[in-house]
Amino acid sequence: MIPVLDLSPEIDALWDEVNAAVQRVLRSGQFILGPEVEAFEREVAEYLGVRHAVGVNSGTDALVLALRALGIGPGDEVVTTPFTFFATAEAVESVGAEVVFADIEPDSFNLDPAAVEAAITERTRALLPVHLFGRPAAMGALLGLAERHGLAVVEDAAQAFGARLGERPAGTLGDLGAYSFFPTKNLGAYGDAGLVTTDDDGAAEAVRMLRAHGAKRKYHNEVVGYNSRLDALQAAVLRVKLPHVDAYNEVRRSVAARYNEALADVEGLVVPEVSEGHVFHQYTVRILGEHREMVRAALKARGVGTMVYYPVPCHRLPLYAGRGLRLPEAERAAAEALSLPIWPQLDAPTQDCVIAAIRDAV
Ligand SMILES: *Cc1c(COP(=O)(O)O)cnc(C)c1O
């Protein structure tokens, strides 16, 4: 069976380096924050070209802390995409604000700026675009909207570490960026980990305070915060992997290009565009004509694993079903999207097996 993701070749390739890093942390006796986390924060800030990078417990916490740092809370609305992992909406709920879903663009699976504009009210405080599957959202248009309406922008870059728009990394174009280092992400730790980035000194200070129980100085708590500190073992692992992430993303892009070339002529299947700066966290095609589940089963029978991200758009989750909201593009994407195997060490013969199975199955 070809899985959708295989982390083992990466672990094999980095085995000695990761072991040395883990042993260094064990010997240091410092397991939460400390020099290892500070070193990672410096290195990742330099990689991303931002003034501040603050390590936190998870990508979900990164979103929550970014929203809190902006002072977003009860009475505020945040406009985001329904076609994302629930954590995006959940973060907005967690700070007590209201989630407003706007529909997506069919080609990119990302927020449609026109739909976002239509969703803005006098209570809107922020836009929360997601760079889904590693493809940067339409940030030019979204930043323009934010500017015209006086809104903050928090980017959910959980799936897009290393993605770029022009020279700028995804996650660094808005006011704050939130990244996840969940093990399956393009830059993955070996446990939960996340990061908030910003160029704003005040916002960075707020995030640092919030991650440590709302205290700038230990035992001098100023606000109700969180226990959301990055641990040193994860920081050490991330320091080993950070120098490789561009090369890994480059391979993902070339695997995607090769899949596209081999699948472009398959009827009833739409391949994703290898757009500028896309880092293919997922390689996601559309299976047209309500055939996805059949194709999925046929691929499984041929030994090819697939995943559906996401079978239910957020606005149709039980939590929001009462709103009765219809967003046709997000619903169509949820019915048609199928993610195929992709990882940086996925070799050509295995790609060929996937390609042959799809040509057969569709
Ligand atoms: C993974 C993910 C998150 C949450 O990150 P965690 O580190 O798992 O908390 C948030 N948003 C999106 C789009 C994600 O893919």
Side-chain angles (χ1 to χ4, degrees), residues 58-60 63 84-85 87-88 130 156 158-159 180 182 185 192-193 310:
S58 69
T60 306
L63 289 165
T84 180
F85 179 52
T88 312
V130 178
D156 181 340
Q159 300 186 3
S180 166
F182 186 79
K185 305 288 160 102
D192 274 314
Y310 295 91

Side-chain angles (χ1 to χ4, degrees), residues 13-328:
L14 302 176
W15 187 256
D16 291 340
E17 267 188 278
V18 168
N19 272 284
V22 166
Q23 287 176 35
R24 181 175 72 232
V25 173
L26 297 186
R27 294 276 178 229
S28 79
Q30 172 106 43
F31 299 111
I32 292 172
L33 298 181
E36 199 71 38
V37 170
E38 286 162 23
F40 171 64
E41 288 177 343
R42 270 196 308 278
E43 289 160 13
V44 76
E46 187 177 357
Y47 172 89
L48 293 168
V50 288
R51 276 175 67 78
H52 304 283
V54 186
V56 297
N57 215 23
S58 69
T60 306
D61 280 7
L63 289 165
V64 170
L65 270 59
L67 293 166
R68 280 280 308 269
L70 290 166
I72 290 170
D76 298 330
E77 291 178 356
V78 176
V79 181
T80 192
T81 167
F83 198 54
T84 180
F85 179 52
F86 175 58
T88 312
E90 191 181 32
V92 177
E93 300 282 357
S94 296
V95 305
E98 192 172 328
V99 190
V100 175
F101 295 113
D103 212 351
I104 60 168
E105 303 168 326
D107 293 344
S108 69
F109 295 118
N110 282 326
L111 266 179
D112 177 350
V116 170
E117 179 150 40
I120 292 170
T121 72
E122 69 280 4
R123 295 205 299 151
T124 307
R125 284 282 313 280
L127 307 182
L128 176 45
V130 178
H131 306 296
L132 199 73
F133 303 148
R135 177 173 176 155
M139 290 304 292
L142 293 172
L143 290 169
L145 276 179
E147 169 121 47
R148 279 203 298 291
H149 294 270
L151 309 173
V153 176
V154 175
E155 297 171 71
D156 181 340
Q159 300 186 3
F161 191 93
R164 274 165 206 281
L165 260 173
E167 292 299 295
R168 300 286 299 277
T172 69
L173 293 113
D175 297 283
L176 293 106
Y179 299 83
S180 166
F181 304 125
F182 186 79
T184 61
K185 305 288 160 102
N186 285 30
L187 177 61
Y190 295 142
D192 274 314
L195 186 79
V196 180
T197 56
T198 184
D199 286 328
D200 184 304
D201 297 350
E205 189 178 35
V207 173
R208 285 184 191 283
M209 181 167 86
L210 287 164
R211 78 172 167 180
H213 300 286
K216 277 185 211 135
R217 200 148 60 93
K218 211 172 184 181
Y219 309 127
H220 292 75
N221 310 70
E222 297 174 36
V223 297
V224 176
Y226 307 84
N227 174 359
S228 188
R229 303 161 301 207
L230 179 58
D231 79 62
L233 281 169
Q234 301 311 334
V237 168
L238 290 164
R239 290 182 71 197
V240 169
K241 293 175 74 169
L242 180 62
H244 299 284
V245 74
D246 280 343
Y248 288 168
N249 281 340
E250 206 40 61
V251 182
R252 285 173 181 273
R253 283 176 63 81
S254 60
V255 171
R258 193 154 177 275
Y259 275 160
N260 273 9
E261 206 178 294
L263 299 174
D265 65 330
V266 177
E267 227 174 284
L269 180 149
V270 181
V271 297
E273 193 191 341
V274 185
S275 60
E276 186 203 334
H278 193 331
V279 291
F280 289 93
H281 172 60
Q282 299 295 339
Y283 178 86
T284 304
V285 299
R286 282 177 186 267
I287 305 295
L288 305 178
E290 289 168 23
H291 293 140
R292 183 184 60 201
E293 296 314 314
M294 246 160 61
V295 169
R296 228 191 145 189
L299 286 171
K300 190 173 171 201
R302 286 164 178 77
V304 174
T306 59
M307 285 295 280
V308 172
Y309 301 110
Y310 295 91
V312 184
C314 288
H315 69 289
R316 304 296 289 170
L317 289 171
L319 178 61
Y320 301 113
R323 293 187 184 184
L325 186 64
R326 304 311 303 253
L327 298 168

